[in-house]
Amino acid sequence: MKKKLYKKYIILSTLLSTLFFGFVLFFIYVIDPAGVNNRFNLGLIKDSGLASRTQKFVEINKFKPNTILLGGSRIHFLNPNDIEKYTKDKVYNVGLSGSTLEEQYYFLKYSIDNFDINNVVIGLNLYPFSENTLERTKLSDTGFDKEIFDGGFTLKKQLKHYLEVPLFTYARTYYTKKWTDPLYKHGSRTAYNQTLFIDDKPWKERENNNNEGYTDTYTNYLIWGDKGLNILKDMVKLCKDNNINLKVFTTAIHESQLQILKDLNKMGIYYKWKEEVAKITPYWDFMYPNTITMNGDNYLDPSHIRQEKGYLYFARLFNDNSVDIPSDFGRFVDSNNSNEHLMYLKIKNTAQK
Amino acid sequence: MLFNSYEFIFVFLPITFFIYFYLNHKRLTEVSKGFLVCSSLFFYSWWNVAYLPLIVGSMLFNYFIGKSLSRKAIKKKLVFGIVGNVLLLSYFKYTDFFIQNYNWILNTETPLWHLALPLAISYFTFQQIAFLVDSYRGETKEYSLLNYSVFITFFPQLLMGPIMYHKEIIPQFQNKFNLVIKWEHVSLGLFIFAIGLAKKTLLGDPLTDYAQTAFDHAQDLSMIEAWYASVSYVLAYYFDLSGYADMAIGIGKMFNINIPLNFNSPYKSRNFAEYWQRWHMTLSRFLEDYVYKSLGNNKKVAYVIYINIMITFFVSGFWHGAGWTFVAWGVLNGVFVIMAHMMKKAKFKLNFYIAWALMFLGLIVTRILFVSDDFSDAWYVTYTLLDFSNLIFYNLPYVDKYPQTFYIVAGLGLALFFKNSIELSKNFKPNKKYLAYTVVLLTASLFTFTKAKEFLYFQF
């Protein structure tokens, strides 16, 4: 009789624990807050930002793009449709908040190895080239996982994802924000998402908040080094070796961000960076004072240009003369005109001072 | 393989358990032991298969030396065996420490070797030294290599103890009554395992996270942060280590093997002498039996006793880590233990609460020394604990106000005012109440495995 009781205790405790655990796991799987499996259509709006790296890896595998757009959060806001009209193929936005060049390299290599890639567009920011970027990304904990590119979204990784995706944060935000439209599409943030990002805050507040963060980033983490440049070289080589049409550009940050660099006496790094990038690949430079970057109305905050203005980048990159682009927005730079371009920038930046 | 992993709980443990007892049921007892050894070595290799030859080689070396000692007790052979073990441990654990000191003394720049420390080497080295000494003393019987291998590799205790003696384990494996599944043992083992798992994953890991983050920025801590970080570490070590020991004891029970108690509510102690009788008890037992007693076991002359205590704690500190902070930690513990002995000898008894508060303060100070990267960090944090000029109530980046306070209060409450797992297990009955406890603890723990942290003593 006692033996039966003990057996019952063992069976029930293991069974119930497993069942409860399994039930909760299945519940999270069905809710799927980050939109990773999208198996059950409950009409819920998913927030990929809760697990952006994982979600993007899974989604890109389903999407199988021909053109990818690489970069950080500034790229994340750009609409793939603005490129699609030039490339006429499937465009996916791989922009990720706080993305490092190493992470972009992994996504690029994975995409080339696994999809039929024709075009690659890379939007460069200055700070990922800092020698100290690793320290910064460690602090911001982006959740970049190299292993996923080799092993895929394994069962163990799926388990980890569903157990770690912040379900309560999702539920709370969903309830308080009362989302009505999708937040992401083809890897990019939607226009609706952009309005949530602004959150009715006036420009001055957005400018101050953002520049405060960048002052800290530039003060503590912007150190010259060639690690980032070497990764960019590898990315360019990858595209060249695979006959991929590569377009590189620098992101058009608001002029107040350039002012931070000036105030911190870090403009030397800014010029050196542009000079070195030109030695690696031709690129379109938008990161300097011009009609677009001097007007706060074009921005969500000083770091992020509005999605509605993204088409200007691509019209320039794809030489679309039918689009009315401010004449001072974007300068093509290669190793031949790099010095001349730097002179131009110095004059522009000095004049701006 | 970690106890707090899905592969261990859902695959390794049930498969090993059922095959082991199935083989015994078929009267294939030697095969079942062989299977247990192979499973344990697989469990060990899960971490890094490269060190499998090391543990196997060490095992064979000690087995043959021990066997020969049990036939004829030759002191030179014993010394050879012990030196062999110590050299192996020193090579992996202390090489860089010696190079650093060599560089410091002779002002040279000899590069460090950066050898990875094989998992569990400190434990299986101690266990095997004990075996050699026991063999020399004639306290071991002629056991087979298979039995010896089971004794060393038995997976619940392989990585982090409790440190067991040959004479207390092997007879249990040879007892034919232990070769059948005993459901009362399995259920009790499961209950103890669930408690240990919860201690580690629900309390130990979060507290470790808080403490580690703070100590990574030790020199930036303010007074409140220093208190939070230090107390978090004191509690994290208890829940981590005793959680592991509970899990080991629980699994041992499932296999009908009694693994000795390792933690007996140490934070309820009133002084350091008592604390060391309740903390990491099998290590204390080993040090007493094989270090302290070998120094003469003098019980009459006070200063000789104190010197022997200091030597024993010096060895303990050095065993814990290759660094002067660990040595200082050992010495400081020795000083506190001697103080407790002196007070006892002088029949001087403090009020319990004062005694406990001093003991706990001592724990905090010694733990700071133990976890700090260097003396500078240790001194800064210790000093900051009492530095009122550094007392600020705002902008405390290394304190997670509400959750960390909750963990500390819960941890202190459980460590000080509740029965420990072994005391709880004495009243165990397979009824609804214990079923509910077990299910809640197991289920809650299962959700933490994706963020599983290694056990703190894995680094030793």
Side-chain angles (χ1 to χ4, degrees):
Chain A
M1 184 61 192
K2 263 210 155 178
K3 190 174 158 186
K4 261 191 175 175
L5 274 177
Y6 284 116
K7 267 190 174 177
K8 197 173 157 189
Y9 162 84
I10 294 161
I11 292 167
L12 279 177
S13 53
T14 47
L15 197 70
L16 288 175
S17 310
T18 312
L19 272 177
F20 286 145
F21 174 65
F23 174 76
V24 174
L25 200 60
F26 181 69
F27 177 74
I28 303 171
Y29 185 85
V30 171
I31 299 289
D32 186 22
V36 166
N37 65 66
N38 296 307
R39 284 271 168 84
F40 301 87
N41 187 3
L42 303 178
L44 294 170
I45 289 161
K46 308 298 171 82
D47 183 5
S48 313
L50 294 171
S52 49
R53 268 75 186 164
T54 307
Q55 192 275 342
K56 211 147 251 193
F57 178 82
V58 175
E59 191 175 67
I60 201 172
N61 275 290
K62 285 182 191 154
F63 191 83
K64 299 190 190 312
N66 307 110
T67 295
I68 55 169
L69 184 53
L70 291 163
S73 60
R74 295 168 191 173
I75 300 304
H76 202 187
F77 278 103
L78 302 180
N79 189 342
N81 290 343
D82 291 335
I83 304 184
E84 208 173 295
K85 71 187 229 195
Y86 303 113
T87 60
K88 313 277 188 224
D89 56 13
K90 290 168 81 178
V91 183
Y92 189 80
N93 186 330
V94 196
L96 284 161
S97 183
S99 180
T100 61
L101 285 156
E102 188 192 19
E103 180 173 44
Q104 290 167 32
Y105 171 84
Y106 273 89
F107 265 108
L108 173 66
K109 185 161 185 339
Y110 184 84
S111 302
I112 292 173
D113 289 346
N114 292 279
F115 317 123
D116 186 14
I117 299 291
N118 304 321
N119 304 286
V120 170
V121 180
I122 306 175
L124 300 179
N125 300 331
L126 173 59
Y127 68 81
F129 283 83
S130 170
E131 203 69 351
N132 225 355
T133 299
L134 201 65
E135 278 302 307
R136 184 185 174 278
T137 45
K138 254 189 223 162
L139 288 178
S140 60
D141 191 17
T142 59
F144 169 48
D145 173 16
K146 272 185 212 173
E147 285 174 19
I148 203 167
F149 295 96
D150 291 328
F153 195 40
T154 57
L155 186 66
K156 200 166 179 181
K157 288 203 184 294
Q158 290 185 45
L159 201 58
K160 186 174 166 60
H161 166 74
Y162 291 112
L163 287 176
E164 289 181 7
V165 68
L167 183 68
F168 293 111
T169 307
Y170 173 70
R172 195 175 58 231
T173 321
Y174 207 121
Y175 178 75
T176 50
K177 300 275 180 187
K178 298 187 171 44
W179 294 329
T180 55
D181 291 311
L183 305 174
Y184 299 87
K185 194 181 175 193
H186 297 171
S188 86
R189 288 174 180 248
T190 58
Y192 173 68
N193 191 335
Q194 183 176 270
T195 60
L196 297 173
F197 183 84
I198 295 172
D199 199 19
D200 289 333
K201 286 185 185 122
W203 164 252
K204 207 66 204 162
E205 191 182 339
R206 284 179 272 145
E207 184 184 29
N208 288 342
N209 289 346
N210 191 251
N211 284 344
E212 213 171 276
Y214 269 91
T215 303
D216 178 56
T217 300
Y218 288 155
T219 306
N220 296 314
Y221 303 107
L222 188 59
I223 293 165
W224 176 254
D226 54 11
K227 273 187 205 160
L229 291 165
N230 288 334
I231 299 175
L232 180 65
K233 265 184 213 166
D234 291 342
M235 292 168 83
V236 171
K237 187 173 181 307
L238 257 181
C239 292
K240 207 173 170 186
D241 291 348
N242 290 280
N243 294 319
I244 288 164
N245 178 29
L246 171 68
K247 292 195 181 293
V248 179
F249 69 97
T250 62
T251 51
I253 50 175
H254 184 251
E255 54 99 12
S256 62
Q257 290 230 322
L258 293 174
Q259 191 57 46
I260 299 172
L261 289 170
K262 287 178 201 167
D263 294 344
L264 295 171
N265 282 326
K266 295 214 171 179
M267 284 302 275
I269 294 177
Y270 163 87
Y271 292 123
K272 176 91 174 149
W273 170 59
K274 295 201 172 185
E275 189 184 352
E276 294 299 321
V277 170
K279 288 178 190 167
I280 297 168
T281 179
Y283 66 96
W284 280 91
D285 191 9
F286 298 100
M287 195 185 283
Y288 60 90
N290 58 52
T291 312
I292 298 294
T293 61
M294 287 164 67
N295 183 356
D297 291 344
N298 295 324
Y299 286 85
L300 305 172
D301 61 31
S303 182
H304 303 98
I305 202 165
R306 281 177 180 273
Q307 189 167 76
E308 306 88 275
K309 299 291 170 185
Y311 75 98
L312 292 169
Y313 280 134
F314 306 117
R316 193 58 99 196
L317 259 63
F318 289 92
N319 297 317
D320 184 353
N321 295 324
S322 67
V323 176
D324 185 20
I325 314 168
S327 60
D328 63 346
F329 184 63
R331 286 173 62 88
F332 183 76
V333 187
D334 62 15
S335 52
N336 296 323
N337 70 351
S338 173
N339 287 338
E340 183 198 321
H341 177 62
L342 289 178
M343 286 300 292
Y344 172 85
L345 292 182
K346 282 174 186 168
I347 293 165
K348 272 276 184 185
N349 283 319
T350 313
Q352 197 51 34
K353 202 173 181 180
Chain B
M1 198 180 292
L2 293 171
F3 288 162
N4 50 328
S5 66
Y6 299 114
E7 52 269 29
F8 178 80
I9 288 190
F10 290 118
V11 183
F12 181 84
L13 183 58
I15 288 179
T16 309
F17 175 83
F18 283 112
I19 293 181
Y20 172 74
F21 282 108
Y22 174 77
L23 291 170
N24 280 326
H25 176 69
K26 293 283 171 189
R27 298 185 189 282
L28 299 167
T29 50
E30 295 302 295
V31 181
S32 76
K33 275 185 206 162
F35 169 75
L36 200 54
V37 171
C38 292
S39 305
S40 298
L41 291 175
F42 174 80
F43 171 83
Y44 180 81
S45 307
W46 190 264
W47 174 68
N48 188 349
V49 75
Y51 293 114
L52 182 61
L54 183 88
I55 189 172
V56 173
S58 164
M59 225 160 57
L60 290 174
F61 171 81
N62 284 289
Y63 172 70
F64 287 111
I65 299 264
K67 193 175 173 184
S68 134
L69 281 170
S70 66
R71 281 185 196 144
K72 195 173 181 188
I74 303 170
K75 199 162 192 176
K76 276 185 185 169
K77 203 174 271 179
L78 171 68
V79 171
F80 172 73
I82 293 175
V83 168
N85 279 295
V86 173
L87 278 180
L88 181 75
L89 182 63
S90 302
Y91 172 74
F92 284 104
K93 194 165 179 173
Y94 302 108
T95 302
D96 278 352
F97 176 68
F98 288 127
I99 294 174
Q100 277 168 349
N101 285 287
Y102 173 82
N103 284 342
W104 182 68
I105 293 165
L106 299 176
N107 201 20
T108 56
E109 287 184 0
T110 310
L112 302 180
W113 289 13
H114 297 296
L115 294 168
L117 186 68
L119 195 59
I121 190 169
S122 303
Y123 280 93
F124 67 70
T125 301
F126 263 23
Q127 205 148 312
Q128 297 193 104
I129 288 176
F131 169 72
L132 293 184
V133 177
D134 284 354
S135 300
Y136 177 76
R137 290 173 179 167
E139 292 173 9
T140 56
K141 288 177 188 165
E142 188 62 48
Y143 295 124
S144 69
L145 176 61
L146 188 60
N147 280 335
Y148 181 74
S149 305
V150 173
F151 154 61
I152 295 299
T153 63
F154 184 43
F155 69 90
Q157 53 82 51
L158 173 60
L159 303 183
M160 248 174 64
I163 299 170
M164 301 193 299
Y165 294 165
H166 189 258
K167 56 198 171 208
E168 66 192 350
I169 290 302
I170 290 304
Q172 295 191 60
F173 276 105
Q174 289 186 318
N175 184 341
K176 64 179 179 183
F177 296 108
N178 286 342
L179 302 180
V180 290
I181 297 179
K182 289 183 180 162
W183 296 107
E184 64 270 35
H185 287 178
V186 182
S187 48
L188 180 61
L190 183 62
F191 177 65
I192 298 172
F193 180 84
I195 296 176
L197 186 66
K199 278 162 86 173
K200 155 75 179 159
T201 60
L202 304 180
L203 283 167
D205 282 354
L207 283 164
T208 303
D209 267 338
Y210 291 127
Q212 260 171 2
T213 309
F215 269 82
D216 284 346
H217 302 87
Q219 303 270 354
D220 300 330
L221 301 182
S222 62
M223 189 180 176
I224 290 176
E225 289 168 321
W227 275 103
Y228 265 78
S230 312
V231 175
S232 294
Y233 246 143
V234 167
L235 292 169
Y237 264 83
Y238 171 62
F239 287 109
D240 190 281
L241 267 69
S242 68
Y244 184 93
D246 288 345
M247 285 187 263
I249 290 168
I251 299 166
K253 275 263 183 285
M254 294 178 200
F255 283 82
N256 298 324
I257 301 297
N258 284 320
I259 290 176
L261 183 63
N262 216 18
F263 293 86
N264 184 18
S265 302
Y267 293 168
K268 291 176 185 169
S269 309
R270 58 179 298 144
N271 60 51
F272 262 68
E274 188 187 348
Y275 167 75
W276 276 104
Q277 285 163 6
R278 291 164 168 258
W279 175 272
H280 214 328
M281 293 153 72
T282 58
L283 174 68
S284 301
R285 183 181 65 164
F286 173 89
L287 291 169
E288 186 185 343
D289 288 350
Y290 298 97
V291 180
Y292 182 80
K293 284 181 182 170
S294 68
L295 294 169
N297 199 19
N298 190 318
K299 289 179 182 168
K300 287 179 184 163
V301 187
Y303 80 89
V304 176
I305 294 173
Y306 299 153
I307 289 172
N308 289 349
I309 288 174
M310 285 307 293
I311 293 171
T312 307
F313 274 99
F314 175 85
V315 172
S316 173
F318 205 51
W319 175 82
H320 274 89
W324 288 111
T325 49
F326 289 104
V327 174
W329 171 83
V331 169
L332 193 58
N333 270 286
V335 169
F336 289 158
V337 170
I338 289 169
M339 283 166 68
H341 280 290
M342 286 172 143
M343 285 169 70
K344 192 180 170 191
K345 200 162 182 249
K347 295 192 170 55
F348 177 66
K349 205 170 182 182
L350 283 170
N351 167 283
F352 175 80
Y353 296 103
I354 296 171
W356 178 85
L358 288 172
M359 190 280 305
F360 200 73
L361 199 60
L363 276 184
I364 292 173
V365 173
T366 50
R367 187 57 68 200
I368 289 171
L369 202 50
F370 192 88
V371 297
S372 294
D373 287 340
D374 49 46
F375 285 112
S376 162
D377 280 3
W379 169 247
Y380 177 84
V381 179
T382 310
Y383 174 78
T384 306
L385 289 177
L386 303 170
D387 179 12
F388 282 91
S389 68
N390 210 343
L391 175 62
I392 49 171
F393 297 96
Y394 54 89
N395 192 21
L396 302 169
Y398 302 112
V399 168
D400 197 355
K401 209 165 41 177
Y402 297 114
Q404 194 175 358
T405 306
F406 166 78
Y407 281 116
I408 288 175
V409 171
L412 280 172
L414 287 170
L416 298 176
F417 304 112
F418 282 79
K419 287 179 179 175
N420 64 42
S421 46
I422 303 305
E423 288 165 341
L424 284 172
S425 70
K426 283 178 183 158
N427 299 323
F428 173 78
K429 286 178 190 71
N431 58 23
K432 282 180 188 165
K433 184 174 98 175
Y434 285 93
L435 176 68
Y437 286 159
T438 311
V439 170
V440 169
L441 295 177
L442 279 179
T443 310
S445 301
L446 282 172
F447 284 101
T448 66
F449 288 5
T450 56
K451 290 178 183 167
K453 293 181 86 69
E454 283 190 351
F455 290 86
L456 288 168
Y457 260 48
F458 273 15
Q459 59 188 302
F460 305 119

